[in-house]
Amino acid sequence: MKVWVLNGPNLGRLDLRDHSIYGDISFKDLTDFCINTGRELGLEVEVYQSDSETQIIHWLHEASDKKIPIAFNPAAFTHYSYAIRDAVAMLQAPVIEVHLSNPLSREEFRHTSVVSGVATGTIGGFGLMSYGLALRALATLAGKGK
Ligand code: DQA
């Protein structure tokens, strides 16, 4: 089964972000981890990242049309993009919202997710393991609708 891991703004530069929050990892580490974990779970994982809301919405539309399950870290868009929320609401396969950090233990503006209410579930606070848990959830939910 094909699964997409979509990542929002600034995650492509993880190695330059606050290591005390995101860990000592690069985006390549994240990509390799997801592909390897997917392989163990029998999933064909493709990892994408964009800083552009438009690009992310286009990927979400394509995933909806192709019924592709998604692990999705919307990054800062999580907290305010109604356009991304609306695109997530149209998905036809499971979508797990993923965060490396635990947004609820951080600044107040991160306590709101406009995406959670239309996601199948949310996993945050476990670093790379958040992605591993999301992929495991998707493997378990395989073939089910959102
Ligand atoms: C993040 C949390 C967001 O609040 C933040 O804007 C990010 C990354 C995470 O993975 O912990 O860019 O989604």
Side-chain angles (χ1 to χ4, degrees):
M1 179 176 72
K2 181 173 284 203
V3 168
W4 282 0
V5 178
L6 300 185
N7 296 280
N10 301 308
L11 292 170
R13 292 163 68 83
L14 262 181
D15 48 329
L16 300 175
R17 296 188 74 177
D18 188 336
H19 289 204
S20 68
I21 293 172
Y22 296 110
D24 192 7
I25 54 169
S26 65
F27 185 68
K28 179 165 186 328
D29 296 332
L30 187 156
T31 301
D32 291 347
F33 177 81
C34 289
I35 290 171
N36 291 335
T37 304
R39 202 171 287 138
E40 285 165 25
L41 294 167
L43 304 173
E44 190 191 325
V45 173
E46 294 176 11
V47 184
Y48 300 104
Q49 187 275 330
S50 179
D51 300 324
S52 153
E53 190 177 27
T54 310
Q55 175 63 73
I56 291 169
I57 290 168
H58 287 168
W59 281 330
L60 291 169
H61 290 171
E62 191 180 337
S64 174
D65 292 344
K66 295 179 176 168
K67 296 190 170 58
I68 298 174
I70 299 181
F72 182 28
N73 186 346
F77 289 144
T78 306
H79 312 300
Y80 66 90
S81 175
Y82 299 122
I84 284 184
R85 177 196 164 98
D86 286 349
V88 170
M90 290 189 285
L91 290 168
Q92 301 191 67
V95 49
I96 313 293
E97 178 187 348
V98 180
H99 300 284
L100 289 160
S101 66
N102 176 3
L104 295 174
S105 69
R106 299 179 61 193
E107 304 95 317
E108 202 165 338
F109 74 89
R110 297 185 204 275
H111 296 184
T112 298
S113 167
V114 300
V115 173
S116 294
V118 288
T120 309
T122 301
I123 298 170
F126 301 100
L128 277 186
M129 212 211 313
S130 294
Y131 286 78
L133 292 167
L135 290 169
R136 189 166 291 279
L138 291 175
T140 304
L141 294 169
K144 302 215 172 99
K146 191 173 156 218

